[in-house]
Amino acid sequence: MKDFMMLFHSEPTPDLTPTPEQIQAEVKAWQDWMKSIDAQGKLKNPGEALGFEGKIMHSDGAITDGPYAEVKEIVGGFIIVCSETIQDAIKLAEGCPALENGGKVEVRDIMNFEGM
């Protein structure tokens, strides 16, 4: 089994003002999706949701506003799953609530440096 990180991309929607019921439904959709991965024994780390505020430090020491000053998309959170292949990890991304809202799920393998 390898570890894979799922990064959830979306575009900021500053005018979005969801009702408490809509927020509760969104949270439940995420919880249900993550429970389905956990039930398969493949949820290694439930990750965290990320806020909209951020800064980016560049190699020349410059600090710019972020995380979306240069692109519209933001990374809204992540989880870590384990699976045999990246295709299997992508299969786990099916049903992710981010996809229902026009977002994307980026699946990346995590390099293992144990024994170095």
Side-chain angles (χ1 to χ4, degrees):
M1 291 277 221
K2 291 183 63 174
D3 293 341
F4 295 90
M5 177 177 275
M6 291 186 184
L7 298 162
F8 308 111
H9 296 255
S10 63
E11 292 189 19
T13 51
D15 297 332
L16 181 67
T17 53
T19 66
E21 293 80 18
Q22 289 171 318
I23 293 171
Q24 189 174 16
E26 180 77 12
V27 169
K28 183 174 182 336
W30 280 94
Q31 290 172 334
D32 290 348
W33 175 69
M34 289 176 52
K35 283 179 185 174
S36 72
I37 296 173
D38 193 33
Q40 299 173 58
K42 295 183 176 181
L43 183 62
K44 185 149 188 175
N45 182 323
E48 296 288 344
L50 301 175
F52 297 108
E53 183 179 2
K55 298 284 184 185
I56 298 173
M57 177 176 280
H58 299 267
S59 61
D60 65 358
I63 298 173
T64 59
D65 288 336
Y68 49 84
E70 297 172 11
V71 295
K72 283 186 174 181
E73 284 188 348
I74 61 168
V75 176
F78 69 93
I79 65 171
I80 297 175
V81 300
C82 57
S83 68
E84 294 293 333
T85 65
I86 194 165
Q87 289 80 13
D88 292 339
I90 290 170
K91 187 92 175 149
L92 293 172
E94 291 178 359
C96 173
L99 299 171
E100 295 176 16
N101 298 320
K104 301 177 196 166
V105 179
E106 177 183 352
V107 179
R108 301 277 302 270
D109 63 325
I110 296 177
M111 297 175 74
N112 182 348
F113 291 107
E114 281 185 32
M116 289 188 73

